[in-house]
Amino acid sequence: MSPAAPLYLDYAATTPADPAVVAAMLGCLGPAASFGNPSSAHLVGAAAAAHVATARAQVAALIGAGPQEIVFTSGATESNNLAITGAVRAAADRGTHIVTVRTEHKAVLDVCRHLERTGCSVTYLTPERSGWLRPEQLAAALRPDTVLVSVMCANNETGVVHDIAVLAALCRARGIAFHSDASQAAGRMPLDVECLGVDFLSFTAHKLYGPKGIGALYVRDGSRARIQPVSFGGPQERGLRPGTLPVHQIAGFGVACELVRQGLPTEAPRLKELSERLWAGLEPLGGVHLNGAAAPRVPGITNVSFEGVEGESLVAALPGLAVSTGAACNSEARDPSYVLRSLGRDARLAESSLRFSLGRFTTPAEVDVAVDAVSAAVRGLRERSPARAEPPEGLWEGGSAVVRGEAGSQPEGTWVRFHLLVEGDRVKDARFQAFACPHTLDTADWLCTRLRGRMRTELPPGAPADWAKARGVPVEKLGRLLVVEDAVRAALANWT
Ligand SMILES: *Cc1c(COP(=O)(O)O)cnc(C)c1O
């Protein structure tokens, strides 16, 4: 990566393919490579089929499965769809009740929501405040008509690890199928489907240094009758996933699994140490919360909420870091922080959270750079926050009067306070404090330059629509500038 590229600490979103993975993929692309269709009866097909067989064994080995138990899919989203929809279809004569958890990935929750519309009933369990699901909670939710339970191994936002072996055993004892989304666990912690006792397990290549667009669903040998296909068109993959196998993707996935399996004994403790270094660096800031701290967590995922800073501004202040955020701004989800809120964090704290996810190429020096950048950003934003009663600088001296006016509130997400240094009927200087989004901060800052030197009769300088135009604030954010206007007007009202 070039020095100007952002520091990548978002390995839970995706990982770069390892160079060995890329090499394996290239070996299956192009006229001189094993480009064949593995279903073909001729030698070109057989060469491709050999690559698939090797990869299938590598993928299976990562989770302690047999190669015949691996069904290749396009990724964990598809694996989850197939497992949940397919298991519910297979059990249609026995019941329609599903149990899952509120903190699951959308690739589980949205499938359950869809099935609810087709007549299933779904229980969404709320884990403890730590993010951990107590096995007794699951036991209490199981009913005679429960046909499927889906609980993830490790949470993608907090890294919290559920006790899958215990949860799955509860289900097995009652004849209920058990699925787990292991997308974040695979490659970060040892997984063995025999110890876990699950029927179905989803995982995906691009979270473990493989390519995007390929994943797997583990289907236990004895559980094939517990799942039906959801798409049709060929006998491939035990009749569960038709279509020509993407040999290059599968070959890359295989090598990726092999590498993480071999590296795990040293990589897991290394990532744990780096995560501890990160938290040790951030904790002294004060007003910081390690989300999921009281629960077992997977190494390398650290989710921190920062008091007294607005989420979008925190992200905007960290252009050199590629991390995930609870703030709504750069997330496609309508409800990006539902995981943290279900752990009892209020909306503000959920939004002012950052997920640092470390991986194979993360170094201690990078962690230190991140700590320094985040500390500077948090301190800078807190300087302006409502927690500080005094203006950022002590320049309001002499015999002149200072008038102040504020509007909005921190719980609502926008708060602004102007400080005007006035002399006679003129504004000599203007400053502001705010807990607000980057647009609001920018507009308030710019407005201070427009306030300076103005006569009282010339105030306020224009209206929010003019300011939005001048500062390029998108129309949908215009409402926030009303708080800025209210704060200016409040200051003028206090000018007696
Ligand atoms: C990334 C992720 C998914 C989606 O995986 P894709 O392969 O991108 O479809 C599903 N569940 C969890 C927990 C994830 O982290």
Side-chain angles (χ1 to χ4, degrees), residues 12-13 74-78 80 104-108 152 154-156 181-184 203-207 213-215 355:
S74 63
T77 301
E78 186 190 333
N80 290 344
E104 290 291 308
H105 193 274
K106 291 279 182 194
V108 165
M152 70 199 331
N155 184 269
N156 47 298
D181 178 351
S183 301
Q184 294 295 344
F203 55 115
T204 185
H206 76 97
K207 303 278 173 77
I214 184 77
R355 178 190 69 184

